[in-house]
Amino acid sequence: MTTRLELSGQGLTSLSGVSLPASLEYLDLYDNRLTSVPDELWSLSGLRVLNLATNRLTSISPSIGALRQLHTLDLGHNELTALPDELGELSGLTEYLYVSDNRLTEFPVALCSLGRLKYLGCTDNRIATLPDDLSGLTALRELRLYGNGLTALPESLGTLSSLRELHLRKNRLTSLPDSLGELSELRQLDLRENRLTTLPDSIARLSKLDKLDLRWNKELREPSWLAGFEAYGCMVLR
């Protein structure tokens, strides 16, 4: 039986007086007023799910790297300006990593070591560039990067062969890498609210794509192959 502790929405400003059993596997601290968490938390080696979202955290201890059983981690909606490199040591992180709505200015290179992760949400931060090499994220199925300041994407994005959804709305992209055409499992591609003027012809090879959102790219010149997409059933939003 999973040992759970659910303390969401309790108005907590600290965990003083809260017992954290060594056997804990599921810890939910969502929607409190925490500015820090005790070091004791990072010693819960059996923890599998940790939700620290919607608090007032400004940093995360490097000791988080000890939580090797963790498969789901939510750090969203805090005040984080950086993430520790030790996040890349979380080899059990397979299901979900959410770091959206923080104050990150860089995409942590360490996250590229999470080769079993399926979902990564890194939206609504202040990230202008991505690491050159994203190829370590081999299991990723959904990548959400909307609401940042991205001006370009690396060619290595095309190595994410398991990717099914790519969300890039509300950035500053003026072009896309040809390697997008290598994402053979891609179903959804959201490019809204960018500054695109052209699309790479390689996108026409994405035979499993069922939704392509191009709205609010005012200078975009539509390629002729878009009509073919619509003919086989892909929803194209202009």
Side-chain angles (χ1 to χ4, degrees):
M1 183 176 180
T2 301
T3 306
R4 302 169 67 97
L5 184 56
E6 302 190 33
L7 295 170
S8 63
Q10 301 295 308
L12 298 173
T13 56
S14 80
L15 294 181
S16 175
V18 175
S19 175
L20 298 175
S23 59
L24 206 59
E25 296 180 32
Y26 182 107
L27 178 56
D28 184 359
L29 291 164
Y30 168 76
D31 191 19
N32 282 289
R33 301 173 187 171
L34 299 172
T35 57
S36 63
V37 294
D39 289 341
E40 177 189 0
L41 191 154
W42 313 121
S43 67
L44 301 174
S45 58
L47 205 61
R48 298 175 63 80
V49 176
L50 176 58
N51 188 346
L52 290 169
T54 314
N55 278 283
R56 301 174 182 176
L57 301 175
T58 57
S59 65
I60 296 294
S61 170
S63 298
I64 195 174
L67 302 181
R68 299 298 176 88
Q69 300 301 313
L70 207 63
H71 65 65
T72 297
L73 176 60
D74 193 341
L75 298 172
H77 314 292
N78 277 288
E79 300 172 15
L80 302 172
T81 57
L83 296 173
D85 289 343
E86 286 76 8
L87 278 182
E89 299 173 8
L90 297 178
S91 55
L93 204 60
T94 57
E95 300 302 317
Y96 185 89
L97 175 58
Y98 189 78
V99 295
S100 294
D101 189 23
N102 277 287
R103 299 176 182 177
L104 302 177
T105 57
E106 295 184 359
F107 185 95
V109 175
L111 300 189
C112 298
S113 300
L114 299 174
R116 300 168 63 198
L117 185 65
K118 297 183 181 72
Y119 176 101
L120 176 56
C122 194
T123 71
D124 300 304
N125 280 286
R126 305 169 185 177
I127 298 170
T129 61
L130 296 177
D132 288 338
D133 188 4
L134 298 174
S135 61
L137 292 165
T138 52
L140 206 61
R141 295 183 181 179
E142 188 167 340
L143 177 57
R144 292 179 176 262
L145 291 166
Y146 58 78
N148 280 289
L150 294 172
T151 57
L153 302 173
E155 285 289 338
S156 64
L157 189 62
T159 65
L160 306 185
S161 57
S162 299
L163 204 62
R164 296 185 178 188
E165 295 188 26
L166 179 57
H167 298 266
L168 295 165
R169 172 170 54 91
K170 202 174 182 181
N171 280 289
R172 300 175 185 174
L173 300 171
T174 57
S175 63
L176 300 170
D178 287 337
S179 64
L180 281 188
E182 303 300 318
L183 299 176
S184 59
E185 295 296 319
L186 201 64
R187 271 74 163 174
Q188 295 187 29
L189 179 56
D190 187 352
L191 298 169
R192 284 176 288 171
E193 291 185 79
N194 278 284
R195 302 173 183 180
L196 297 171
T197 57
T198 61
L199 296 176
D201 289 339
S202 63
I203 291 180
R205 301 200 301 267
L206 300 178
S207 60
K208 294 184 179 180
L209 201 66
D210 56 37
K211 184 177 180 181
L212 175 60
D213 201 332
L214 301 171
R215 289 175 290 176
W216 306 306
N217 285 279
K218 297 179 181 180
E219 306 299 323
L220 182 64
R221 299 187 296 276
E222 294 187 5
S224 58
W225 48 259
L226 274 184
F229 259 27
E230 292 175 302
Y232 76 68
C234 179
M235 179 188 296
V236 179
L237 301 173
R238 296 172 169 83

